[in-house]
Amino acid sequence: MALADIFTRPAAPAASGRTVAVAPTFGGRPTVEGEGMAALYTWVEEIAALTQPARIHWVDGSRAENDALLREQVDEGKLIKLNPEWRPGSYLARSHPSDVARTEGRTFIASEREEDAGPTNNWADPAEIRGTLRGLFEGSMRGRTMYVVPFSMGAVGGPLSHIGVQVTDSAYAVTSIGIMTHVGTAVLAQIAAGADWVKTVHSVGAPLAPGEADAAWPCNDEKYIVHFPDTLEVWSFGSGYGGNAILAKKCFALRIASVIGRNEGWLAEHMLLIRVIDPAGRAYHVAAAFPSACGKTNLAMLRPTIPGWRVETLGDDISWLRPGEDGRLWAINPEAGFFGVAPGTGESTNVTAVETLWGNTIFTNVALRPDGDVWWEGLTDEAPPHLTDWEGNPWTPDMGRPAAHPNSRFTVSAAQCPQIAPDWNAPQGVPLDVILFGGRRATNVPLVVEATDWTHGVFMGSNISSERTAAAEGLVGELRRDPFAMLPFCGYNMADYFGHWLKIGQQLRFDRAPRIFQVNWFRKGADGRFLWPGFGDNSRVIDWIIRRVDGEVGAVDSPIGRLPEASDLDLDGIDVPQADLDELFAVDPISWEREADLTEEFYATFGGRVPAPLQSELSALRYRLKQAQTA
Ligand code: OXD
Ligand code: MN
C-alpha cells in the first residue's frame, strides 16, 4: 500500500466514538506464508549475517509504522518537524554537505562482460566488486536497525509492474520509499506466491559502537552504487541521498529495469507522463524525456495558458513502455510519488507542485523559516528576511549564496497532486500518442522539431545533449550528451539500447506508434535572454504537436526535421516578437554540421556497435545540411 492510501485512510473509530492510536505491533517477521518466502528469509538472513545489525524490522507499510519511524527520526535529531499549522505531517532533513546528489562517478554496472556495460557506464568486474562490497558491508549496520522493505513498482500485481525488496539501515530511506513506491504486505503475498523480485541492499556505511551518538545524517566518504544486471541486484553503500538510497527509483526502475525491458521486450525510460485534454474533450497521452532538473516535474504538472486545454498528471520522472497487442505503446508510471527538485518550483512556475506540497512532505536541504515552514529559491519572488539555510546556519538575502541547496528536494505522494489523473495508478497504463525528447540548449536546437518517422525519432533521442544541472555531481552549465536522458540510467550498452528502441518500433503498428518530437524551451537570443516564455506557455507547443498528430496542420521540412508553419503556433495572449520567433526556429546548417560531427564522435565511442539505421540517419542529415548550404 502506498502511503498515499495511508494518508487518506481514516483512523478506526474507538468504541467510544473517539479516534485512538492503535498500539504499534509492526516490525516483526511477517505472517504471510507461501513457498516464495523461504528465499526471502534466506536472503535477509544472509544480509544480516554480513551487516550485523542490532535488530531487523520488517516494514509493513502501515500508517502507524510510518508515524513511528518519523517520530523516531525527530527524536534522534535526523528530521525537523515543520510547523503543522503551515505544513502538516511534514519534515525537513539536512544531509551531510558531502552527500547532496547522485554520485555518478561512484555508480557501477557490474555485468559479466565489460562490453555489456558500454562506454557510457563505469564497469566493475562482478567478482572483484563483490569482494570489495563484502568488505564494506561487513558489520556496516552494527548498532543500527536493518529494515526490510518489500515494494512494488506499479500497482501491486499489475501486468507491467515489478517488485523488489530493499534492505536498508536508514529510516529516512524507509519513509521515502514509502512515499515513492507501493510498500507493504500485499507485495509479500506476491513474493510468497512465487513472483520474481529484485534484491536491493543499502547501507549508509556508518556502524555505531555501543553508546556512540549517531550523526544527524550518517553516511560514509566512500561510496559505491553497484548494479548487477545479470542477477538483478543493487548494492549501495555510503550515501543516504535520493537516487543513491531510494533504490527503487533510478537503480531499479531505470538501470535494472532497462535490462529487464531489453530481455522481455519493453522500455524503462526517464520520462514524465501526462494526459492532455483538448477543448473538445479528446485525450492524448504524452511521455517526455528530459535530463535531470530540466523541467520534467513542471511539464508533468503543466497548467496550459491556452483556453480550454487541460493536463492531468500521470508521472513526473519514470515511465515503463510496453508494446500492446493493439500495436500501440502502453505506458505506466511505476512510481507512487514525486522526488522533485525544490528550487525553481513556485507559484509562477509550477503552482500545482506548490499545492501538492501542502503537507505530508519530506523536504531535504531546503531552508527553514523562523515560523517553522520551509523556503527555497524561486518559491516566492522575494526571499524572507531571515532564514536558516540548508546547512543549519543563519541566512539573510544579502549573503550572496543560496539558502536552499540547488539540488534540494521534496518527497511527496503523487495522490496529493491536485491534477493527478484519476487513473494514474491503473495497472494497464495508458496508450501513448506522443513522445518528446528535450534538453537544456541555449543554442541551435529549435523550440520544436518533428521526427519524420520512428527511426529518425530514435536518432533524435540518441542525440539529446543538455547543459549540466545540479542533480548530479559535476560542472553545472557544461554541455553533455545525454541520449534519451538516460546517460546515467541505462543499465547496459547504450548502443544496444538504441537498437532495442528500433526493435520496439518494429513491434508497433506504423499508424499507431507514438509520434516523436524534439523540444527545447531553453533557447537564448544573442543577448542571453530566453526566447520562449516556457512553463504554462509550453502548452502552445503541445497544442501544435497534437494538431500535427491529428493531421490538422502542416509542417515545414528542414534538414533536421519538420518545423511548424509560423502561423500554426497559437500565440494568442502572449507577446513573442517575430525576431525572437525567427531565432527560436533558426536552423543554421554550419552549426548543425558541428552537431553532426559531435554525433559522429559520440557514435564512434561505441566502436561500431551503433545500429546501421542510425548511422544512415547521420549520413542523411549531413546530406541535407550540405544541400541547405548550396540551395
Ligand atoms: C532525479 C534525477 O532525481 O533525475 O529524478 O536526478
Ligand atoms: Mn530524474
Side-chain angles (χ1 to χ4, degrees), residues 359-575:
N360 304 325
T361 304
I362 299 176
F363 296 93
T364 306
N365 288 346
V366 299
L368 184 64
R369 294 165 46 119
D371 61 1
D373 198 5
V374 283
W375 189 85
W376 52 81
E377 278 68 22
L379 177 61
T380 51
D381 289 342
E382 252 180 66
H386 297 282
L387 291 169
T388 305
D389 73 8
W390 67 276
E391 292 187 87
N393 301 315
W395 183 93
T396 48
D398 57 352
M399 283 180 160
R401 58 180 163 83
H405 187 277
N407 191 36
S408 53
R409 299 282 182 145
F410 53 78
T411 312
V412 67
S413 163
Q416 270 189 208
C417 173
Q419 65 189 67
I420 196 79
D423 55 344
W424 71 276
N425 200 23
Q428 76 282 5
V430 296
L432 281 187
D433 299 288
V434 171
I435 290 176
L436 305 182
F437 293 124
R440 187 181 280 273
R441 290 296 306 266
T443 58
N444 269 7
V445 180
L447 179 63
V448 56
V449 191
E450 182 186 352
T452 44
D453 59 17
W454 183 270
T455 307
H456 184 223
V458 173
F459 176 71
M460 273 181 177
S462 77
N463 276 309
I464 295 185
S465 49
S466 192
E467 288 140 27
R468 199 188 269 277
T469 66
E473 291 180 331
L475 200 62
V476 171
E478 175 191 71
L479 191 69
R480 80 161 177 178
R481 268 188 184 265
D482 194 350
F484 294 82
M486 282 288 280
L487 183 78
F489 306 124
C490 183
Y492 61 103
N493 191 308
M494 198 106 210
D496 297 352
Y497 164 84
F498 299 161
H500 187 55
W501 260 87
L502 293 173
K503 247 192 252 157
I504 293 287
Q506 285 160 9
Q507 287 170 50
L508 304 173
R509 252 182 58 173
F510 85 96
D511 58 337
R512 290 192 166 180
R515 297 262 289 271
I516 300 178
F517 297 78
Q518 178 170 16
V519 294
N520 176 26
W521 320 133
F522 302 97
R523 195 162 184 175
K524 290 182 177 167
D527 53 2
R529 237 177 350 104
F530 284 113
L531 293 166
W532 179 247
F535 304 108
D537 288 318
N538 293 336
S539 57
R540 298 168 190 277
V541 175
I542 292 182
D543 158 76
W544 179 77
I545 287 171
I546 281 172
R547 285 185 291 131
R548 274 297 293 160
V549 167
D550 277 344
E552 288 171 15
V553 287
V556 190
D557 276 327
S558 88
I560 61 166
R562 294 178 179 146
L563 304 173
E565 300 265 10
S567 55
D568 284 333
L569 210 53
D570 182 347
L571 298 175
D572 256 12
I574 54 168
D575 184 24

Side-chain angles (χ1 to χ4, degrees), residues 168-183:
T168 177
D169 55 8
S170 158
Y172 167 85
V174 176
T175 41
S176 302
I177 301 164
I179 294 172
M180 296 304 297
T181 76
H182 307 264
V183 168

Side-chain angles (χ1 to χ4, degrees), residues 275-284 308 310:
R275 173 179 294 132
V276 182
I277 302 167
D278 77 2
R282 291 175 301 187
Y284 303 82
R310 238 164 20 90

